[in-house]
Amino acid sequence: MNPLPAIDLKLARDMWHRRGQVLAIALVIASAVATLVMALSALRSLSDAREAYYDRQRFAQVFVSLKRAPESAAARLRDIPGVAQVETRVARFVTIEIEGVTEPLRGLALSLPENNDTALNALVLRSGRFPDPDRASEVLLHESFATANGFGPGSTFSAVMNGRKQRLVVTGIALSPEHIYVIGPGDIVPDNRRYGVFWMRRKQLAAILNYEGAFNDASLRLLRGASSETVIAAVDHVLGQYGAAGAFDRKEQSSHAFLDSEFGQLSSMASVIPPIFLIVSAFLLYTVISRQIETQRHEIGLLKAFGYSDGAVAWHFVKFALTVSVLGLVIGWVAGAWFGYQITELYREYFRFPTLAFAIAPDILVTSAAVALTVSCGGAFIATRQAMRLTPAVAMSPPSPATYRPSFMERIGLLRDLSTTGYMIVRHVTRFPIRSGMTVTGIALSLGLLIATVQFIDSITLMIDSFFFRAQRQDVTLRFVEPRADPVRGEIERMPGVLRTELRRTVGVKLTHGPRNKRVAILGIDPGSELSQQVGADGRMIDLPPSGLLLTRRLAEHLGVRPGDEVEVAVLEGRRARTKAQVTRVIDEYVGLAVYMQRAALNRLTGDGEVADSAWLKTDPAHEVALFAEVKQTPGLFTIQLQRQAYQMFRDLMDQNMMTMIWFYVGFASVIAFGVAYNASRITLSERAHELATLRVLGYHKREVALILVGELALLTLIALPIGCVLGYGMASLMMELFETDLYQIPLGLAPATYGWSALVIIAATAVSSAVVVRRIQTLDLVRVLKGRD
Amino acid sequence: MSQGAAAEVKMPSGSPAAFRARGLTKVYGAGESAVHALRGVDIDLHEGDFLVLLGPSGSGKSTLLNILGGLDRPTAGTLHYRDTELTACSDRELTAFRRRHVGFIFQFYNLIPSLTARENVALVTELVEKPMVPDDALRLVGLGERMDHFPAQLSGGEQQRVAVARAVAKRPQVLLCDEPTGALDSATGVRVLEALADVNQTLGTTTVVITHNATIAGMADHVVHFGDGRVVSIESNTTKRRPSELTW
Ligand SMILES: Nc1ncnc2c1ncn2[C@@H]1O[C@H](COP(=O)(O)OP(=O)(O)OP(=O)(O)O)[C@@H](O)[C@H]1O
Ligand SMILES: [Mg+2]
């Protein structure tokens, strides 16, 4: 092997000499790369898995549910231009009972397709077998409910269908592309223990529900290039007379939409956070290399005098940056792969895919490498222009003492009472404003990043609290099978433990404003509600207007409406009325896209008279079991839902899913903070070793000398803190906007404590890194430092 | 342990010993590559003495001076300052010793570039109990007019005089100077030396000056010739010359 060229030997020595800094920068780069690889790979793994799954199981593109249509209507659907395949079925939400469980459970009963091998939304059998066509009680059960309740082939449970309790035997466990994310109607998070999907042979289910020769649900696959909008319009036209609730595109299918929103968040993460890390690492490389060039001007002069070209000298320093970046890149790849794997495992719990393998695509590695190397070498390159400008002669002459002058603040008369060492700190900081500015920027950026990530915890808490303690304050939600006339109230009020009853009506509508439209549900509430409060952007409670609509901010933005504007309301059920309604106010509510109206006005709009389809109750928990039993026995009541459980489920989902992600980022932000602070203290130390040694010679104790070093960092940190807080606020707002989905919008809930904690982390990072550097003062070799003029 | 060529070198003087060194040895490195910077130095320095240290390059002068000033430790041997055994002191105690008793002047002035002349002096006057007023110290070296200038605004000689003012401003008992005129022209060098002689006379400061300039030896009480890590000889001047009488 050839011995290393001398100049590379120097590079290796420089790197070893600065190994702390090299590692710090490499870790910052690694954080950027890891984030990128983690988010992009998880995203790719998930979306590839979904694509493959959809493809193999023929996931439909248009869905529609309706009251009841004769099977002959299916032929008319098939005739719609652009439709390739139509699958009809019978579907019904039911109450499930499991022996020994008093809690209310809900389920979705679906009819199996005739031929699963060619059907749309074909099932994947995980274990067991399909139900026997001739045996009435056999079902396939969705894996999520089966796993949560410990069910397998052979298990039994009951379902109340059409008022009759049916005992069902599980013959197999299955997955469906329609239910990758399994979420019950009206739920905001999956509750696998209390909501399950199961399939029966169509003949049997139809018999139970009196749907022989009829269907109430259809899925359509379109020809390549067909417009789903045109098909949807045609479907609505064909099925209008059968009480269709409006056909909708895949985009609005709940499982698909949730996956989309999750994918959107992953890609937001990949687009916001890594760039910040990369900018910081470019900063760090710039500062380290320009400092290196300054201290090595002699050597650079020598190299040039020996005949090394400008390019060769610059290349020498860029090689330093490249080596650091490659180190960071490799660490980042490994960490990113590991984190990505963890995230994917996390998703495995919520998303039911037949196969979900975490894979890292080579192009993601290449992209991350290209981005990381370009950015960090960019920083290095800017720094090396300094070295290229040095002429051999200039580089060889010793630098005269740096010129200082009283700082601006001294000139205007401030700082008069500073100690002499205090002046040393202030003047040094102001003498090198660019370098000080970079340190301040670096610290401020890491503080900002920390605030922006930690605040997720505040914001999610605010989101959950405002939903459960303001928008939905009930203890229990009762849903009816069919809308019921208002006297149902009396029946409910007599149930055990019921303290307050508020009737509700929910109606699916399509809101249209100009070219924009959205399918949503209007929630009808009676005035004077205590179990549901709406607030405006100013945080004040809003009274329900007699006729107009209250819209959430995101929906208003989506439709482009402001208070006072009119929207077209197309009711998607019953008589399918079309009318106009005025938007009275825009409200702040963060879960879903809520639209509120007075129940009476809503009933007028649908033309249904005084009816309700659910009741929100305040109850006495002591009578809960009795209430459950009563509800089970009461015909016409479909399901009962406990808000307490919904709250817990939501919290758990956020804790496990979001919080894991957030802690990754908090960790990364701390790495940056440490990298910046350590780097700044190292540079300060090497810049000032001579001065500090001089002070030691003059009789200053180590502690007093260390104070100068620490003082400078403390001053820079102090300047950086308020800037970081402002940056944090900005980044947080940006992230919140990027993280917003139709399912939930995370309000900016920055708590003052978050600023405090984040600042503490930054201060700690600065303290730790200056402590590391202060240790070097302990071992400062006075004689050697004073001998050299370095 | 080791014994130098000159067994015990006593300098004729009436005043008590400020420094007493016995068998001072300094070895850098170990084994084959070990460098013996000091090979057993025995020397007594008396209060108020003005001593010039002459000797070829690499003979160990700086090493000795650094050990005297508590900047460095010998490998072997003992060193007393008055009643304190410096060789037994901790780092902290050595720092305190420097802080209270010692002023240093180096060939490269080692001023703090971010501080003005006055503030450079204040750096040490802030540390001790009865210092001079920084302005007085600067006037002593003839820099009364340049007190608010930063080092970069001063010539080499002026910077060195600030270093002298800084070293004497705390009224040290000991002044240690390593080639204080090395970087200066003759006239400027003389001004610096005059400042040193003044301090030695008015404050009775024990002063050690390392130099390569044999002419300077003329202003010393005693001239120590150093060679190969040992004291080779000591001569005492009967008549000291004033710095202004020296030229080179
Ligand atoms: N840190 C060190 N490591 C190894 N050897 C050293 C070290 N410091 C000094 N030496 C050696 O010790 C010997 C004495 O050095 P010293 O600096 O005391 O000489 P000096 O008499 O002051 O020389 P000059 O007149 O050139 O300043 C020299 O041979 C030198 O090489
Ligand atoms: Mg020397």
Side-chain angles (χ1 to χ4, degrees), chain A residues 509-522:
Chain A
V509 297
K510 183 155 136 187
L511 298 183
T512 308
H513 182 247
R516 310 190 200 179
N517 63 67
K518 191 84 194 167
R519 281 166 49 98
V520 287
I522 300 180

PDB file of all heavy atoms in Angstrom, chain A residues 509-522:
ATOM      1  N   VAL A 509     -74.340  15.941   3.943  1.00  0.00           N
ATOM      2  CA  VAL A 509     -74.645  16.928   2.903  1.00  0.00           C
ATOM      3  C   VAL A 509     -73.412  17.161   2.042  1.00  0.00           C
ATOM      4  O   VAL A 509     -72.310  16.777   2.398  1.00  0.00           O
ATOM      5  CB  VAL A 509     -75.046  18.299   3.502  1.00  0.00           C
ATOM      6  CG1 VAL A 509     -76.311  18.198   4.323  1.00  0.00           C
ATOM      7  CG2 VAL A 509     -73.909  18.877   4.328  1.00  0.00           C
ATOM      8  N   LYS A 510     -73.680  17.781   0.919  1.00  0.00           N
ATOM      9  CA  LYS A 510     -72.561  18.259   0.115  1.00  0.00           C
ATOM     10  C   LYS A 510     -72.693  19.771   0.087  1.00  0.00           C
ATOM     11  O   LYS A 510     -73.710  20.313  -0.340  1.00  0.00           O
ATOM     12  CB  LYS A 510     -72.645  17.685  -1.287  1.00  0.00           C
ATOM     13  CG  LYS A 510     -71.470  18.077  -2.156  1.00  0.00           C
ATOM     14  CD  LYS A 510     -71.297  17.038  -3.246  1.00  0.00           C
ATOM     15  CE  LYS A 510     -71.051  17.685  -4.592  1.00  0.00           C
ATOM     16  NZ  LYS A 510     -71.057  16.683  -5.657  1.00  0.00           N
ATOM     17  N   LEU A 511     -71.655  20.456   0.604  1.00  0.00           N
ATOM     18  CA  LEU A 511     -71.659  21.913   0.597  1.00  0.00           C
ATOM     19  C   LEU A 511     -70.900  22.383  -0.634  1.00  0.00           C
ATOM     20  O   LEU A 511     -69.820  21.882  -0.926  1.00  0.00           O
ATOM     21  CB  LEU A 511     -70.982  22.471   1.845  1.00  0.00           C
ATOM     22  CG  LEU A 511     -71.625  22.123   3.195  1.00  0.00           C
ATOM     23  CD1 LEU A 511     -70.879  22.806   4.323  1.00  0.00           C
ATOM     24  CD2 LEU A 511     -73.094  22.503   3.203  1.00  0.00           C
ATOM     25  N   THR A 512     -71.492  23.327  -1.348  1.00  0.00           N
ATOM     26  CA  THR A 512     -70.835  23.826  -2.544  1.00  0.00           C
ATOM     27  C   THR A 512     -70.764  25.341  -2.482  1.00  0.00           C
ATOM     28  O   THR A 512     -71.737  26.008  -2.122  1.00  0.00           O
ATOM     29  CB  THR A 512     -71.612  23.408  -3.808  1.00  0.00           C
ATOM     30  OG1 THR A 512     -71.814  22.000  -3.761  1.00  0.00           O
ATOM     31  CG2 THR A 512     -70.831  23.776  -5.074  1.00  0.00           C
ATOM     32  N   HIS A 513     -69.612  25.860  -2.784  1.00  0.00           N
ATOM     33  CA  HIS A 513     -69.447  27.309  -2.867  1.00  0.00           C
ATOM     34  C   HIS A 513     -68.612  27.573  -4.108  1.00  0.00           C
ATOM     35  O   HIS A 513     -67.426  27.225  -4.139  1.00  0.00           O
ATOM     36  CB  HIS A 513     -68.744  27.851  -1.616  1.00  0.00           C
ATOM     37  CG  HIS A 513     -68.591  29.348  -1.639  1.00  0.00           C
ATOM     38  ND1 HIS A 513     -67.372  29.953  -1.734  1.00  0.00           N
ATOM     39  CD2 HIS A 513     -69.524  30.330  -1.581  1.00  0.00           C
ATOM     40  CE1 HIS A 513     -67.545  31.271  -1.736  1.00  0.00           C
ATOM     41  NE2 HIS A 513     -68.831  31.525  -1.640  1.00  0.00           N
ATOM     42  N   GLY A 514     -69.241  28.128  -5.125  1.00  0.00           N
ATOM     43  CA  GLY A 514     -68.534  28.329  -6.384  1.00  0.00           C
ATOM     44  C   GLY A 514     -68.051  26.992  -6.894  1.00  0.00           C
ATOM     45  O   GLY A 514     -68.789  26.007  -6.895  1.00  0.00           O
ATOM     46  N   PRO A 515     -66.795  26.931  -7.300  1.00  0.00           N
ATOM     47  CA  PRO A 515     -66.294  25.677  -7.852  1.00  0.00           C
ATOM     48  C   PRO A 515     -65.918  24.665  -6.769  1.00  0.00           C
ATOM     49  O   PRO A 515     -65.582  23.534  -7.081  1.00  0.00           O
ATOM     50  CB  PRO A 515     -65.046  26.122  -8.623  1.00  0.00           C
ATOM     51  CG  PRO A 515     -64.590  27.365  -7.930  1.00  0.00           C
ATOM     52  CD  PRO A 515     -65.808  28.013  -7.335  1.00  0.00           C
ATOM     53  N   ARG A 516     -65.949  25.075  -5.516  1.00  0.00           N
ATOM     54  CA  ARG A 516     -65.465  24.146  -4.493  1.00  0.00           C
ATOM     55  C   ARG A 516     -66.610  23.475  -3.770  1.00  0.00           C
ATOM     56  O   ARG A 516     -67.664  24.075  -3.559  1.00  0.00           O
ATOM     57  CB  ARG A 516     -64.629  24.912  -3.454  1.00  0.00           C
ATOM     58  CG  ARG A 516     -63.584  25.768  -4.125  1.00  0.00           C
ATOM     59  CD  ARG A 516     -62.659  26.281  -3.099  1.00  0.00           C
ATOM     60  NE  ARG A 516     -61.945  27.450  -3.586  1.00  0.00           N
ATOM     61  CZ  ARG A 516     -61.078  28.108  -2.843  1.00  0.00           C
ATOM     62  NH1 ARG A 516     -60.857  27.733  -1.601  1.00  0.00           N
ATOM     63  NH2 ARG A 516     -60.449  29.142  -3.340  1.00  0.00           N
ATOM     64  N   ASN A 517     -66.392  22.203  -3.404  1.00  0.00           N
ATOM     65  CA  ASN A 517     -67.423  21.519  -2.638  1.00  0.00           C
ATOM     66  C   ASN A 517     -66.790  20.532  -1.684  1.00  0.00           C
ATOM     67  O   ASN A 517     -65.614  20.189  -1.797  1.00  0.00           O
ATOM     68  CB  ASN A 517     -68.401  20.827  -3.575  1.00  0.00           C
ATOM     69  CG  ASN A 517     -67.721  19.757  -4.399  1.00  0.00           C
ATOM     70  OD1 ASN A 517     -67.276  18.755  -3.865  1.00  0.00           O
ATOM     71  ND2 ASN A 517     -67.621  19.985  -5.708  1.00  0.00           N
ATOM     72  N   LYS A 518     -67.576  20.100  -0.724  1.00  0.00           N
ATOM     73  CA  LYS A 518     -67.088  19.146   0.261  1.00  0.00           C
ATOM     74  C   LYS A 518     -68.252  18.361   0.823  1.00  0.00           C
ATOM     75  O   LYS A 518     -69.314  18.917   1.096  1.00  0.00           O
ATOM     76  CB  LYS A 518     -66.389  19.928   1.391  1.00  0.00           C
ATOM     77  CG  LYS A 518     -65.623  19.057   2.337  1.00  0.00           C
ATOM     78  CD  LYS A 518     -64.254  18.768   1.776  1.00  0.00           C
ATOM     79  CE  LYS A 518     -63.576  17.629   2.520  1.00  0.00           C
ATOM     80  NZ  LYS A 518     -62.389  17.169   1.777  1.00  0.00           N
ATOM     81  N   ARG A 519     -68.045  17.047   0.971  1.00  0.00           N
ATOM     82  CA  ARG A 519     -69.060  16.211   1.622  1.00  0.00           C
ATOM     83  C   ARG A 519     -68.798  16.213   3.111  1.00  0.00           C
ATOM     84  O   ARG A 519     -67.703  15.858   3.551  1.00  0.00           O
ATOM     85  CB  ARG A 519     -68.936  14.772   1.131  1.00  0.00           C
ATOM     86  CG  ARG A 519     -69.540  14.516  -0.237  1.00  0.00           C
ATOM     87  CD  ARG A 519     -69.068  13.179  -0.743  1.00  0.00           C
ATOM     88  NE  ARG A 519     -69.227  12.136   0.272  1.00  0.00           N
ATOM     89  CZ  ARG A 519     -70.249  11.303   0.311  1.00  0.00           C
ATOM     90  NH1 ARG A 519     -71.197  11.354  -0.604  1.00  0.00           N
ATOM     91  NH2 ARG A 519     -70.345  10.386   1.250  1.00  0.00           N
ATOM     92  N   VAL A 520     -69.766  16.645   3.874  1.00  0.00           N
ATOM     93  CA  VAL A 520     -69.609  16.693   5.319  1.00  0.00           C
ATOM     94  C   VAL A 520     -70.935  16.315   5.964  1.00  0.00           C
ATOM     95  O   VAL A 520     -71.922  16.063   5.268  1.00  0.00           O
ATOM     96  CB  VAL A 520     -69.221  18.108   5.818  1.00  0.00           C
ATOM     97  CG1 VAL A 520     -67.786  18.431   5.476  1.00  0.00           C
ATOM     98  CG2 VAL A 520     -70.156  19.159   5.233  1.00  0.00           C
ATOM     99  N   ALA A 521     -70.945  16.268   7.278  1.00  0.00           N
ATOM    100  CA  ALA A 521     -72.195  16.016   7.994  1.00  0.00           C
ATOM    101  C   ALA A 521     -72.535  17.251   8.811  1.00  0.00           C
ATOM    102  O   ALA A 521     -71.665  17.817   9.459  1.00  0.00           O
ATOM    103  CB  ALA A 521     -72.034  14.805   8.908  1.00  0.00           C
ATOM    104  N   ILE A 522     -73.784  17.698   8.728  1.00  0.00           N
ATOM    105  CA  ILE A 522     -74.218  18.804   9.569  1.00  0.00           C
ATOM    106  C   ILE A 522     -74.751  18.213  10.864  1.00  0.00           C
ATOM    107  O   ILE A 522     -75.546  17.269  10.838  1.00  0.00           O
ATOM    108  CB  ILE A 522     -75.336  19.642   8.907  1.00  0.00           C
ATOM    109  CG1 ILE A 522     -74.835  20.219   7.583  1.00  0.00           C
ATOM    110  CG2 ILE A 522     -75.795  20.765   9.845  1.00  0.00           C
ATOM    111  CD1 ILE A 522     -75.883  21.058   6.862  1.00  0.00           C
TER     112      ILE A 522
END
